[in-house]
């Protein structure tokens, strides 16, 4: 969607604040021994305290309030009895709906002390997100985002999971345009002021190929670690407005 009125922007910002608060609370809880189901329950409590709802549950009947992916799970991990272990990477992918507006963000967190290579993977995803956001300005194209993200990730020795993308958002989780994290051939949609999108590098220590594992989970095909960083932003004529910070 495009935020064309102050009221729409305020609604998106309110949803974004719920997402940011949820991620902050969950990061405090991540530790060896906690289950992904316990983290999910904590997210649901934050949603409820703000009068928000789970976007994935509303739009797709997802079996959890949020997506929690561990290790080689790239996206759409299902919360449950799995206990986190020292050194693992856990992706906290939070989408909230509040008063008809959606916002979406993800952070990858190390459980306890992770290997230096895993910490570098997290850092690459975060920096790739920053590079993508820096390219996201009115008059640029969606492809400019992908070019910036891909260059950053590959120069750090990692791979983009090209099949997994960002997207428009606002009144539903997934709207147009598709926001690739790699360069794409051919014409690309122009970024316009007020457009609401997510930028979300989903990257891997291996070759970046992914496979579906059941109805929801997507894993790296080679079993390598993955990391995911995401914000919902509004396009302006300068630096984007980050709605989920």
């Amino acid at each position: 969607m495009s935020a064309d009125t102050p009221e729409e922007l305020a609604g998106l910002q309110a949803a974004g604040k719920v997402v940011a608060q949820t991620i902050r609370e969950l990061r405090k809880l991540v530790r060896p021994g906690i289950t992904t189901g316990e983290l999910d329950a904590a997210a649901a409590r934050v949603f409820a305290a703000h009068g928000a709802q789970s976007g994935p549950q509303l739009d797709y009947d997802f079996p959890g309030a949020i997506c929690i992916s561990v290790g080689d799970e790239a996206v759409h991990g299902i919360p449950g009895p799995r206990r986190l272990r020292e050194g693992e990477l856990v992706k906290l992918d939070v989408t909230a709906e509040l008063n008809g507006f959606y916002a979406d963000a993800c952070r990858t967190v190390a459980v306890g002390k992770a290997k230096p290579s895993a910490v570098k993977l997290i850092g690459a995803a975060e920096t790739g997100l920053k590079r993508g956001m820096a390219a996201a300005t009115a008059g640029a194209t969606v492809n400019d985002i992908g070019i910036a993200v891909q260059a950053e990730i590959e120069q750090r020795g990692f791979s983009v999971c090209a099949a997994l993308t960002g997207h428009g958002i606002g009144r539903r989780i997934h709207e147009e345009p598709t926001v690739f994290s790699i360069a794409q051939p051919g014409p690309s949609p122009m970024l316009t002021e007020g457009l609401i999108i997510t930028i979300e590098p989903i990257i891997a220590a291996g070759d970046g190929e992914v496979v579906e594992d059941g109805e929801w989970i997507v894993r790296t095909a080679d079993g390598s670690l993955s990391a995911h960083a995401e914000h919902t932003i509004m396009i302006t004529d300068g630096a984007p407005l980050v709605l989920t910070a």
Side-chain angles (χ1 to χ4, degrees):
M1 71 171 286
S2 183
D4 296 324
T5 68
E7 292 77 17
E8 287 177 330
L9 177 56
L12 291 159
Q13 288 175 315
K17 287 180 180 178
V18 174
V19 170
Q21 179 64 32
T22 303
I23 291 176
R24 283 194 295 269
E25 293 300 320
L26 295 182
R27 291 183 74 142
K28 297 175 188 176
L29 297 175
V30 170
R31 64 182 186 277
I34 196 169
T35 69
T36 57
E38 288 169 334
L39 291 173
D40 188 64
R45 288 193 294 271
V46 178
F47 287 175
H50 291 85
Q53 300 183 79
S54 162
Q57 287 180 339
L58 279 176
D59 283 15
Y60 299 110
D61 199 27
F62 182 75
I66 65 171
C67 300
I68 304 179
S69 306
V70 182
D72 68 341
E73 295 174 344
V75 291
H76 306 155
I78 301 170
R82 178 175 185 166
R83 293 191 180 278
L84 298 181
R85 297 180 297 178
E86 182 82 18
E88 288 185 316
L89 300 188
V90 58
K91 283 132 279 186
L92 306 168
D93 191 355
V94 178
T95 309
E97 181 275 342
L98 181 65
N99 298 324
F101 294 97
Y102 288 72
D104 184 7
C106 183
R107 283 296 176 274
T108 301
V109 181
V111 182
K113 184 175 178 59
K115 293 180 179 180
S117 58
V119 174
K120 288 179 181 178
L121 183 69
I122 295 173
E126 293 285 348
T127 306
L129 172 60
K130 291 176 183 177
R131 295 289 182 266
M133 291 195 298
T137 188
T141 68
V142 171
N143 200 35
D144 291 327
I145 297 171
I147 291 168
V149 171
Q150 182 178 12
E152 182 64 30
I153 300 306
E154 292 183 352
Q155 80 163 11
R156 288 171 175 260
F158 300 113
S159 301
V160 174
C161 297
L164 304 174
T165 70
H167 47 88
I169 190 171
R171 290 296 192 173
R172 295 185 65 83
I173 297 177
H174 295 110
E175 301 177 353
E176 292 297 325
T178 299
V179 182
F180 289 92
S181 292
I182 61 168
Q184 293 291 300
S188 177
M190 183 170 290
L191 299 172
T192 55
E193 286 193 59
L195 180 67
I196 310 298
I197 60 172
T198 71
I199 298 176
E200 47 182 308
I202 302 163
I203 70 172
D207 63 14
E209 295 298 316
V210 295
V211 293
E212 294 181 358
D213 180 5
E215 182 179 0
W216 297 104
I217 299 170
V218 179
R219 299 180 183 274
T220 58
D222 57 11
S224 62
L225 279 179
S226 71
H228 180 183
E230 175 187 14
H231 272 310
T232 296
I233 65 170
M234 184 180 80
I235 302 299
T236 75
D237 61 0
L241 178 63
V242 182
L243 301 175
T244 47

